[in-house]
Amino acid sequence: MAAVKAQAASAMTTVAFIKSVGFRSPPPQKLAISQGPSAATQDSDVMEPVYVSFKYPKEVMPYQPAVTAGLVSVSITDPGSGYTSVPAVHAMNGTTEITGITAEVDGGKVVKLVIGNLSSVWTKETKITIDPPTGTGTTNKTATATAIFREEQKPQSAVYETMALQVPLLTMLPVPYLRIEELNLEFDVKIDQTEKVDITETVNMDEEVGAGGGLGASGFSGAANFSCSISMQETGNFSNTINRKYSMNVKVRAVQAEVPAGLERILSTLQASILAQPVAAFKS
């Protein structure tokens, strides 16, 4: 009976926990607005979940470090054809020519440009030209290249947007749902009884009788002796020992039970309602 009552108390504890922690009664004016003026009295038992709302900054644009201006790379836009020797490469920054640029030819085509003077001033207006192939072949074609320039950029701070998150409180806590899985009762009785009686009795008796006499002038005269000795010894031993031992061992094993289907459905619905939006969206 104790186990049955404990199981029932555990179930009622779960019900009380869910109702007190996870739900609350909506204000009467809210029911009246959403369901009509009579809803405040008709649906007083309808409850709404308790949400935990908090704000947090969300990074919408990461920090951008400063970038210095400079040349990124030189890309060959057309390798050309018919090159039998390495052509000259010219890089003109306005009227100033940047020297130290060489080309690599493979199979009659310009496959690579090597920049040997990185200290030169490169700008986005820098133009690169490659000399045409020598000879009069009909398949000769002049190669072209383009300089990719990186402009200077100042550091930009990260951009954050304040977000608000609403989480049902019931989904954040473990629901106490215990059930008794095993109950063992062990009752032990041990009685030890010892009874012992020892009685010893000893009686000793000694008797001695003596008599003597004669006839004299005055008449009869005589003497008599009587001696008696009695010795009695009695010894008794009595012992009575009774030992009683009673023990009862009660072992109860309770485990967290599986969530019932109805409660699992409620938790799934509440989890789906977890919402993170900008603060302005909640205000609207």
Side-chain angles (χ1 to χ4, degrees), residues 8-266:
S10 176
M12 295 305 298
T13 301
T14 303
V15 174
F17 177 85
I18 294 174
K19 292 182 64 176
S20 62
V21 175
F23 296 92
R24 65 182 177 184
S25 298
Q29 61 272 17
K30 186 174 181 180
L31 285 174
I33 294 175
S34 61
Q35 302 179 14
S38 61
T41 57
Q42 294 178 358
D43 296 335
S44 59
D45 293 335
V46 177
M47 305 183 71
E48 63 180 14
V50 177
Y51 286 89
V52 176
S53 301
F54 59 91
K55 300 177 182 179
Y56 67 96
K58 180 181 179 181
E59 186 181 61
V60 296
M61 182 178 296
Y63 169 78
Q64 302 291 334
V67 177
T68 57
L71 179 67
V72 177
S73 64
V74 176
S75 175
I76 297 175
T77 56
D78 190 342
S81 61
Y83 285 94
T84 58
S85 60
V86 177
V89 181
H90 308 277
M92 298 300 297
N93 187 7
T95 58
T96 304
E97 183 176 2
I98 300 175
T99 60
I101 305 175
T102 58
E104 293 183 2
V105 177
D106 186 11
K109 297 180 179 182
V110 178
V111 295
K112 186 178 181 181
L113 296 180
V114 180
I115 302 174
N117 187 8
L118 295 176
S119 61
S120 301
V121 179
W122 292 77
T123 64
K124 58 182 179 180
E125 289 80 14
T126 302
K127 304 298 182 182
I128 298 177
T129 58
I130 302 175
D131 289 349
T134 58
T136 58
T138 57
T139 58
N140 291 353
K141 185 179 180 182
T142 303
T144 57
T146 302
I148 301 176
F149 182 77
R150 178 182 61 243
E151 296 184 354
E152 181 181 3
Q153 295 181 359
K154 295 182 179 180
Q156 298 180 3
S157 301
V159 179
Y160 295 90
E161 184 177 9
T162 302
M163 303 290 290
L165 183 65
Q166 288 186 339
V167 182
L169 181 60
L170 196 60
T171 63
M172 301 172 59
L173 303 174
V175 179
Y177 194 70
L178 299 178
R179 65 177 177 85
I180 296 178
E181 185 179 58
E182 185 178 353
L183 174 63
N184 296 325
L185 295 177
E186 298 178 358
F187 182 70
D188 297 332
V189 177
K190 181 180 180 181
I191 300 177
D192 296 331
Q193 182 173 358
T194 303
E195 184 175 356
K196 182 180 181 181
V197 178
D198 294 332
I199 298 177
T200 303
E201 183 176 359
T202 304
V203 178
N204 297 321
M205 179 178 289
D206 295 331
E207 298 179 359
E208 182 179 351
V209 178
L215 183 62
S218 59
F220 178 81
S221 64
N225 295 325
F226 180 80
S227 176
C228 180
S229 176
I230 299 175
S231 175
M232 183 176 180
Q233 179 180 1
E234 182 178 357
T235 302
N237 293 326
F238 178 81
S239 62
N240 186 12
T241 302
I242 299 177
N243 296 324
R244 295 182 178 90
K245 180 180 179 182
Y246 305 92
S247 64
M248 177 184 293
N249 297 325
V250 180
K251 298 180 181 179
V252 179
R253 183 173 182 268
V255 297
Q256 179 74 9
E258 297 181 357
V259 178
L263 180 58
E264 185 177 0
R265 180 68 178 273
I266 293 175

